[in-house]
Amino acid sequence: MTDRSELRAAALASKAWPFEEARRLLKRYENAPPAKGHVLFECGYGPSGLPHIGTFNEVLRTTMVRHAFETLSDIPTRLVEFSDDMDGMRKVPDNVPNQEMLREHLGKPLSRVPDPFGTHESFAAHNNALLREFLDRYGFDYEFVSSTERYTSGAFDDALRNVLRNYQAILDIMLPTLRAERAATYSPVLPVSPKSGIVLQVPVEVVDAEAGLVRFEDDGETVEQCIFKGGAKLQWKVDWAMRWVALDVDYEMYGKDLTDSGVQSGKIARVLGGRKPEGLIYEMFLDEKGEKISKSKGNGLSLEEWLTYGPEESVAFYAYREPKKAKQLHLGVIPRAVDEYWQFRANYPEQPIEQKLGNPVHHIHNGDVPAEALPVTFGLLLNLVGVMGEASKEQVWGYLANYLPDAAPEAHPALDRLIGYALAYARDFVAPTLKRRAPEGVEIEALQRLDAELAGLPGGASAEDIQNIVYEIGKTGGFETLRDWFKALYETLLGSAQGPRMGSFIALYGIAGTRALIAQALARTT
């Protein structure tokens, strides 16, 4: 058992990215603890579209940094999930119903747009509920904050007054970054039209900063309006900075596509009397085509889709790895993520503390890594159920009895869960692609030799013994490389271009079952 002082000492030197981030945050308060009594982590969500797995992963990664900070420091922490639901709806998402109805409400705050699904009071409320359901399911410790609630309740009024006091200084930061056409009409403040309810993109004149009064044109009429209590919202870069200062945010990570925005918002935060939070700039998730995942396009992978085919730990593992590297996010990455997670988990118990802190599973489980081991890889399970075709959990456990002396769900609950995922993944993605070809040339004799060798094996032959036989046939069977032999086995017996360690597969599927596969393959040559 590692004591807290030893753990903290190792964490101070660890190169794992959550600890590197936590150390930067610790340095922020090296002279004195925060006056508010805690360190505040924030994640932002724009409910303009359905939440996707990238949204979820931002909270996950931030939580990993929060836990790393708690290892390094005794300062209390909070995590806020801030929904920008006061934002005007700029376009109708492609992946929602009732699009004609939504078009009638373009420009209005998302919290005032009717829910196209008909289940909540607004489109924002629907999407906020989905996000919270995601986060609650995974057990995150967070506080949900609505932009609409903060604006309309008056909680941001002092911060808005501060923006009006520093209006020209904010313009001086923003205008040089804009094209001339945009700069001509740019305003840090976006008043909500008293006529249409639309968030207006019009020039605004500050009339009285202390009273919150501004003047603008609305449909040909000059309007003087107070921006307090929901009378306006801020342009998002200004809004971001205002939020950092008003909430006193210490840490917020964001995507690489927001790098320039982060620079400008950081400058505005200083003008408003605050400072930019610490934060990791992460690379974006891409779809199968290498395009950025978009909430409005719905071209990403949803959390529900991933969790249909892989456990929650595999999502967390994929999110943890190399956050500064762009990664494709599609269903094809799930099997590898599952197996790599279990490989790292198997290594964890025997590692020294320094290596444990660099192991992804430490951050996935906040140091409390379950002890259960996995006796069969997910890849091997996929190959097994792929060969079996339509199968039940009970039938899969029947085959596992060839491989495990205590093959039962009660003895291996994690494996039992993985069987369910493997059956679903094989049914939906593996089975439609399987196509066993006929063996040819030297492959025919090699398969005949393998069949004869398997027939002569005693009952209970080990996977290693079987692997040695497979290996020897490949070396002496006339193949240019061993890889050609293994490829032939995968393509003729399993119907795929890649496959498992054949000794393990044969031991799992059984000698009789494998000989039947060989017989079927040889029959295709006639």
Side-chain angles (χ1 to χ4, degrees):
M1 178 70 70
T2 304
D3 65 30
R4 186 164 182 79
S5 60
E6 184 184 355
L7 178 64
R8 183 164 288 183
L12 284 167
S14 175
K15 294 182 179 179
W17 68 262
F19 286 117
E20 291 180 338
E21 291 296 297
R23 286 196 295 272
R24 288 202 294 122
L25 185 52
L26 190 64
K27 191 173 181 181
R28 185 179 179 94
Y29 290 112
E30 60 184 347
N31 295 325
K36 62 182 178 290
H38 62 271
V39 166
L40 183 63
F41 294 80
E42 180 183 58
C43 293
Y45 169 59
S48 58
L50 305 181
H52 58 69
I53 203 167
T55 315
F56 171 84
N57 283 342
E58 186 174 295
V59 183
L60 177 71
R61 287 168 169 168
T62 301
T63 297
M64 290 177 176
V65 178
R66 181 187 184 186
H67 289 158
F69 180 82
E70 290 169 345
T71 302
L72 296 174
S73 172
D74 296 323
I75 300 174
T77 65
R78 293 171 55 215
L79 170 60
V80 162
E81 176 68 16
F82 190 96
S83 174
D84 190 15
D85 51 16
M86 186 78 175
D87 196 21
M89 185 173 69
R90 291 180 288 276
K91 63 180 180 178
V92 176
D94 298 332
N95 58 342
V96 299
N98 295 312
Q99 298 202 356
E100 284 303 319
M101 178 276 289
L102 288 177
R103 288 189 185 93
E104 297 175 6
H105 297 275
L106 282 171
K108 292 181 182 178
L110 290 159
S111 54
R112 298 173 190 170
V113 174
D115 177 17
F117 296 91
T119 58
H120 292 75
E121 63 184 19
S122 70
F123 188 31
H126 174 272
N127 294 341
N128 287 341
L130 277 182
L131 178 71
R132 295 174 75 173
E133 183 182 318
F134 291 167
L135 305 183
D136 292 343
R137 176 176 182 175
Y138 205 80
F140 287 113
D141 176 21
Y142 72 100
E143 302 163 41
F144 181 81
V145 178
S146 160
S147 173
T148 297
E149 189 279 328
R150 288 289 169 137
Y151 272 103
T152 58
S153 70
F156 278 160
D157 285 357
D158 284 342
L160 292 173
R161 189 177 287 113
N162 194 18
V163 168
L164 294 184
R165 289 179 188 137
N166 294 280
Y167 201 77
Q168 187 58 50
I170 293 170
L171 285 174
D172 291 343
I173 292 169
M174 290 304 305
L175 292 181
T177 70
L178 304 173
R179 295 190 302 271
E181 180 182 351
R182 179 76 180 94
T185 61
Y186 177 83
S187 168
V189 175
L190 305 177
V192 177
S193 168
K195 295 180 179 180
S196 64
I198 289 173
V199 180
L200 299 175
Q201 304 260 359
V202 294
V204 167
E205 176 189 352
V206 178
V207 177
D208 185 338
E210 298 308 308
L213 290 177
V214 299
R215 187 180 295 125
F216 56 93
E217 292 290 323
D218 182 9
D219 196 23
E221 179 183 343
T222 300
V223 177
E224 199 168 283
Q225 179 170 301
C226 178
I227 70 170
F228 297 158
K229 291 194 176 352
K233 83 171 296 286
L234 301 180
Q235 281 277 10
W236 95 263
K237 293 176 187 177
V238 185
D239 184 275
W240 203 13
M242 179 275 291
R243 186 198 316 164
W244 286 343
V245 177
L247 301 180
D248 196 8
V249 177
D250 296 300
Y251 188 91
E252 180 168 4
M253 63 173 63
Y254 50 88
K256 184 179 178 181
D257 58 332
L258 299 182
T259 300
D260 290 342
S261 300
V263 171
Q264 286 136 28
S265 294
K267 292 178 180 178
I268 295 169
R270 286 195 293 274
V271 164
L272 296 176
R275 55 176 171 167
K276 181 181 179 181
E278 308 301 323
L280 173 77
I281 299 177
Y282 57 81
E283 263 289 3
M284 310 307 295
F285 282 126
L286 309 174
D287 64 12
E288 285 182 284
K289 299 176 182 177
E291 297 177 356
K292 178 190 167 185
I293 288 174
S294 163
K295 291 191 297 292
S296 60
K297 284 184 181 179
N299 62 329
L301 184 64
S302 73
L303 184 62
E304 287 91 345
E305 286 174 316
W306 185 299
L307 295 178
T308 300
Y309 306 110
E312 293 168 347
E313 297 87 353
S314 61
V315 184
F317 179 85
Y318 196 73
Y320 175 86
R321 303 297 300 278
E322 301 175 304
K324 294 184 179 181
K325 178 181 178 181
K327 294 186 288 188
Q328 288 190 326
L329 184 63
H330 54 82
L331 291 166
V333 306
I334 295 176
R336 182 175 178 182
V338 174
D339 273 335
E340 289 189 346
Y341 161 77
W342 278 98
Q343 289 168 12
F344 278 93
R345 182 162 147 178
N347 293 337
Y348 187 82
E350 302 305 319
Q351 289 178 322
I353 184 60
E354 295 78 13
Q355 291 182 17
K356 282 183 174 179
L357 296 187
N359 189 322
V361 302
H362 178 88
H363 302 277
I364 292 167
H365 297 284
N366 193 23
D368 186 17
V369 180
E372 184 180 355
L374 192 70
V376 176
T377 67
F378 190 59
L380 191 56
L381 280 178
L382 284 175
N383 287 118
L384 172 63
V385 299
V387 171
M388 291 174 67
E390 288 291 329
S392 66
K393 267 191 175 184
E394 292 73 19
Q395 289 171 315
V396 176
W397 276 112
Y399 278 97
L400 286 168
N402 295 324
Y403 196 76
L404 300 172
D406 56 347
E410 298 77 19
H412 302 281
L415 179 57
D416 189 59
R417 287 176 63 212
L418 283 189
I419 291 172
Y421 294 124
L423 287 168
Y425 193 90
R427 177 193 65 231
D428 295 344
F429 302 105
V430 177
T433 67
L434 294 181
K435 188 176 181 181
R436 298 182 182 89
R437 67 169 177 84
E440 55 190 33
V442 296
E443 297 169 354
I444 296 173
E445 184 179 346
L447 284 173
Q448 291 170 338
R449 281 183 59 193
L450 178 58
D451 181 63
E453 291 279 5
L454 293 178
L457 281 175
S462 70
E464 195 61 39
D465 290 339
I466 298 170
Q467 183 68 18
N468 289 337
I469 291 171
V470 174
Y471 189 81
E472 185 62 28
I473 293 173
K475 285 199 302 182
T476 60
F479 295 94
E480 288 189 16
T481 67
L482 270 172
R483 183 178 180 182
D484 292 336
W485 167 226
F486 291 127
K487 189 168 183 284
L489 288 169
Y490 301 148
E491 293 177 352
T492 60
L493 302 186
L494 306 182
S496 62
Q498 297 178 333
R501 194 170 186 264
M502 285 306 296
S504 298
F505 173 79
I506 294 170
L508 177 59
Y509 195 58
I511 299 294
T514 305
R515 292 191 65 203
L517 289 178
I518 294 172
Q520 293 167 13
L522 293 173
R524 288 193 288 271
T525 63
T526 59

